[in-house]
Amino acid sequence: PDLPGYLLGLIGAGKNGLAEDELIGIIDQQLRLKRHLPLPTPDPASPAYTTFPLVLWARLYAEIDWMCTEREIDSTRVLNFYHRQFREAIERRYLNPPAKAASANTQWRRLFAKRDVITSTSSGQRLHADLAEYFGRANGQVPYIENTALRPRARVNERMVSESAYQYFQSKQFHELETLLFDGEFLQARIQIA
């Protein structure tokens, strides 16, 4: 798949869409982990990307902005599809491709060949796994943005609390979901924002 398609799939896999910095962070995470993403290089002799170039983001955003809208979800401005039909089309194409197309889709298999995710899983499940990894504790996300002695549990990381359990469930990472749901700090934060 192309990078715009990957980004559209990520937006579609998000519970309520994704923020720009989250999309860029997910791509950076993929680059840090040396995963192969379909990033264009102007010259074969040019060095590999170590962070996602913001110029490339601007070009990608210009390609997809006509079908997206920004809304405030969890105290964050997120990109989401402005019409239900766009969301359904993205879900059909990138999240739930027909079984015949999924088995013939060798690009997705090459893209995620070095992943820990089983290659027989759907491309949608892989997108949810990428989001679960980004929003999970292993990536440095914590339920509280500000949690000091002077201000205990002052500010909840609403995006992490909102997305992580959903993404673990959608990617069928049930052990990680169970661990998260029995995490006292996560539960306290979830109750606090409810």
Side-chain angles (χ1 to χ4, degrees), residues 2 10 24 30 58 61 77 91 108-109 114 130 134 136-137 146 149 158 181 188 193:
D2 55 4
L10 286 173
I24 293 168
Q30 301 298 311
Y61 184 75
R77 300 218 30 102
E91 286 174 354
W108 274 107
R109 290 176 189 250
K114 298 188 180 205
D130 287 347
Y134 176 78
R137 280 186 178 265
E146 188 176 338
E158 293 182 37
L181 293 177
Q188 178 65 37
I193 64 169

Side-chain angles (χ1 to χ4, degrees), residues 26 40 45 49 69 100 103-105 107 118-120 131 136 151 192:
I26 292 164
Y49 295 112
T69 186
K100 189 174 183 179
S103 66
N105 193 345
Q107 285 182 325
I118 301 168
T119 56
S120 65
L131 290 173
R151 297 186 61 173
Q192 194 169 333

Side-chain angles (χ1 to χ4, degrees), residues 153-171:
R153 298 183 182 97
R155 228 170 98 211
V156 175
N157 183 349
E158 293 182 37
R159 293 292 296 152
M160 182 268 188
V161 171
S162 175
E163 288 280 345
S164 55
Y166 175 80
Q167 298 303 337
Y168 282 134
F169 180 78
Q170 292 297 323
S171 62

